[in-house]
Amino acid sequence: MLTFAQLIARLKQRYGQLEPPPSRDPFALVMWENACYLLSDERRREVFEALQEQVGMSAAAIARAPDGVLLPLAQRGGMRPEVRVFRWREIARITLQQYDGDLSAILKKPFAEAKRALKQYANIGDPGAEKILLFCGMGAGLPLESNGLRVLTRVGWGRPQKNYGSMYRDVQRNIATVIPAEIESRQQAFLLLREHGRVLCKDKAPRCNECPLAGGCDYAAGLVAAFERMARP
Ligand code: SF4
């Protein structure tokens, strides 16, 4: 099996330096997560930038923007735009009421407290909160979304399991001592693993024949062994 450093180095060679989300501010990153529903990163960036330009990326600006401005932007973010506008307003309301409009105050709190604060917002669970804190430069771990978790599990850094939470914890235990210390390296590791899961190591049909990790991947080795068994006379 590939070491964690080898794995990331190969992904970096394949995908290059990936662009992080467009802010290091927790409020903006909560809005980034809620900009779109089931659409591409390009569309997410488009909606986020339009919000930034036409409304302003602050709780006060979102709260005072009329529906006539927010709704057309939310419509560019996919299905159920009215729900999205409601969520944007809720994000603004919580930030104004609890943090006087400045969510960056949570970055001065202990990690667990900052994470709890972020989990109050729509669509932010444990990994989502950890991801936001990672891109704000906080925390020592490597959160994973579903693509990254799938890649690491297939390569051999965890045991495939039906229970997502157990599988997540298993992989986290196994990588805890090998992830890089520098925050920028962990941010890139997050982005590279996600990109690989989206582009080649897809859920239903992984493209192992094109994959730079194939030589050190348990899942690919299993496919080869099964093929050889079938080919035996
Ligand atoms: S070899 Fe296949 S299963 Fe393994 S990481 Fe690459 S695409 Fe995923």
Side-chain angles (χ1 to χ4, degrees):
M1 187 178 83
L2 293 169
T3 67
F4 190 83
Q6 285 169 332
L7 185 156
I8 296 300
R10 288 189 191 187
L11 294 183
K12 193 160 190 176
Q13 205 168 18
R14 163 96 194 192
Y15 300 106
Q17 183 82 4
L18 295 179
E19 196 175 355
S23 178
R24 290 170 63 91
D25 173 70
F27 177 82
L29 290 173
V30 170
M31 289 297 292
W32 170 256
E33 293 298 323
N34 282 280
C36 275
Y37 180 65
L38 294 179
L39 291 175
S40 65
D41 285 357
E42 291 70 30
R43 181 65 73 86
R44 185 177 299 280
R45 197 169 283 272
E46 183 192 313
V47 174
F48 181 88
E49 286 175 357
L51 260 170
Q52 211 165 24
E53 283 162 26
Q54 295 177 33
V55 178
M57 195 49 70
S58 72
I62 303 275
R64 69 171 170 259
D67 279 355
V69 171
L70 292 182
L71 192 58
L73 295 173
Q75 282 164 342
R76 288 155 72 178
M79 289 188 299
R80 305 177 71 197
E82 300 82 6
V83 174
R84 198 163 304 108
V85 170
F86 173 79
R87 286 184 178 150
W88 292 349
R89 291 204 184 284
E90 275 299 287
I91 292 166
R93 182 189 63 77
I94 295 169
T95 307
L96 286 165
Q97 284 182 354
Q98 296 190 25
Y99 305 100
D100 207 14
D102 181 12
L103 190 56
S104 66
I106 66 169
L107 301 179
K108 297 189 184 86
K109 308 267 184 205
F111 185 80
E113 204 177 320
K115 193 169 138 182
R116 264 199 307 281
L118 288 170
K119 284 170 64 182
Q120 300 178 92
Y121 293 99
N123 293 324
I124 312 292
D126 278 308
E130 288 174 15
K131 179 176 84 171
I132 289 173
L133 293 174
L134 175 72
F135 284 102
C136 289
M138 191 175 177
L142 176 61
L144 298 164
E145 45 68 77
S146 59
N147 291 291
L149 182 65
R150 182 171 63 253
V151 172
L152 286 177
T153 307
R154 284 178 171 167
V155 169
W157 282 94
R159 201 163 42 83
Q161 297 175 49
K162 285 206 176 104
N163 184 300
Y164 188 88
S166 307
M167 193 161 71
Y168 190 89
R169 286 189 292 277
D170 187 35
V171 170
Q172 285 293 344
R173 258 193 309 274
N174 293 333
I175 64 172
T177 56
V178 294
I179 54 174
E182 311 77 42
I183 199 107
E184 290 81 10
S185 303
R186 278 182 283 125
Q187 291 170 349
Q188 276 302 307
F190 174 92
L191 295 168
L192 288 164
L193 288 164
R194 175 176 181 266
E195 186 71 359
H196 190 55
R198 279 164 16 103
V199 175
L200 289 184
C201 193
K202 291 167 181 280
D203 185 21
K204 295 262 172 345
R207 289 156 53 187
C208 303
N209 54 340
E210 298 172 49
C211 178
L213 311 181
C217 171
D218 285 0
Y219 183 95
L223 288 182
V224 171
F227 181 76
E228 285 173 353
R229 273 197 304 279
M230 278 166 46
R232 268 187 221 128

